[in-house]
Amino acid sequence: MSKRIVTISREFGSGGRTVGRMVAEQLGYKFYDRELIQLVANQSGFALEFVEETDEYSTTSSLLYNLSMGGTYAQAGFSPDHLPPVDKIQILQNNIIRELAEKDPCVIVGRSADYILRDRTDCLNVFVHADREIRMRRAVEEYGFPEKNIEKLVAKRDKARASQYRHYTDRIWGMADNYHLTLNSGVFGLEKCCEIIVSLAK
């Protein structure tokens, strides 16, 4: 069965975003990464800068996990209008990702899309990782980050993503059980990672 949706979770500096874009181009799928931030800003009325601050590096409560599991927030009388802005943004992003998956074949990078779309059978969930030395080098040479304190920056970004994912989904970020496929981009290279994903999605 072909996969209409590919989600790409990735360690910082692993090249996962680039892999995702390459996969989308080869499959002819829509591509969503930072585009999701703009969509959320447009629909929520919040400033783009504020939505960016609540993105993957924020650590929010496990609100959506609670909602999906029928917890406290899912009880009668619950109203999204009473939620803090950060939680409203998270719920809106959840809904947007579901709508995009229904509308067109697409590749979605990050945003816990693997969890949000976990019940779909037409979704391929991928985690891209690499050794830290390789990721630090890419962060400096390709992303333009200063070499000074780059190791701390990479570790901080990974920790923030892991924390946000755990709070959001009650799952452990990067654990193989949460994905259909994990790829070491430092071993295979970005093009080979793309090739593998495309072959499995078709």
Side-chain angles (χ1 to χ4, degrees):
M1 176 180 178
S2 62
K3 304 298 182 180
R4 292 182 63 257
I5 304 104
V6 178
T7 71
I8 306 285
S9 303
R10 73 278 184 241
E11 290 182 329
F12 181 75
S14 66
R17 177 183 289 109
T18 301
V19 170
R21 190 177 294 279
M22 293 165 61
V23 168
E25 289 175 355
Q26 291 199 23
L27 290 173
Y29 286 7
K30 300 282 181 116
F31 177 77
Y32 298 103
D33 178 27
R34 292 187 60 79
E35 294 83 354
L36 284 169
I37 298 176
Q38 187 65 62
L39 287 172
V40 171
N42 292 343
Q43 294 190 30
S44 68
F46 290 115
L48 180 62
E49 293 77 12
F50 178 71
V51 177
E52 288 178 326
E53 289 177 2
T54 68
D55 194 35
E56 294 180 299
Y57 301 117
S58 66
T59 53
T60 63
S61 66
S62 54
L63 171 68
L64 294 182
Y65 173 77
N66 190 296
L67 283 171
S68 69
M69 298 304 290
T72 304
Y73 287 125
Q75 303 306 313
F78 165 72
S79 172
D81 293 337
H82 299 146
L83 290 173
V86 170
D87 287 337
K88 290 181 180 179
I89 288 172
Q90 292 286 359
I91 291 176
L92 180 57
Q93 180 173 263
N94 176 294
N95 292 336
I96 288 174
I97 287 174
R98 290 182 181 278
E99 289 169 5
L100 293 175
E102 284 291 335
K103 186 177 180 181
D104 296 300
C106 59
V107 175
I108 303 174
V109 175
R111 283 81 192 176
S112 302
D114 59 285
Y115 177 81
I116 294 169
L117 304 176
R118 65 194 181 283
D119 294 329
R120 297 189 66 104
T121 59
D122 58 351
C123 189
L124 176 65
N125 300 319
V126 182
F127 187 83
V128 180
H129 60 99
D131 292 343
R132 183 170 291 184
E133 289 294 329
I134 293 173
R135 296 190 289 121
M136 289 191 298
R137 185 165 62 249
R138 178 174 285 116
V140 172
E141 296 177 357
E142 298 183 27
Y143 300 172
F145 286 94
E147 189 170 357
K148 183 179 180 180
N149 296 324
I150 190 62
E151 185 171 5
K152 289 183 179 179
L153 172 67
V154 170
K156 182 179 180 180
R157 292 292 182 99
D158 283 345
K159 183 178 180 180
R161 284 182 181 174
S163 180
Q164 196 265 3
Y165 186 83
R166 181 62 181 264
H167 279 283
Y168 183 21
T169 69
D170 206 37
R171 290 181 175 183
I172 298 175
W173 181 73
M175 179 175 284
D177 287 351
N178 296 332
Y179 312 93
H180 299 122
L181 176 69
T182 63
L183 292 169
N184 188 326
S185 61
V187 173
F188 295 114
L190 303 187
E191 292 186 0
K192 187 62 176 180
C193 287
C194 172
E195 180 184 329
I196 293 170
I197 296 169
V198 168
S199 68
L200 290 174
K202 286 183 176 179

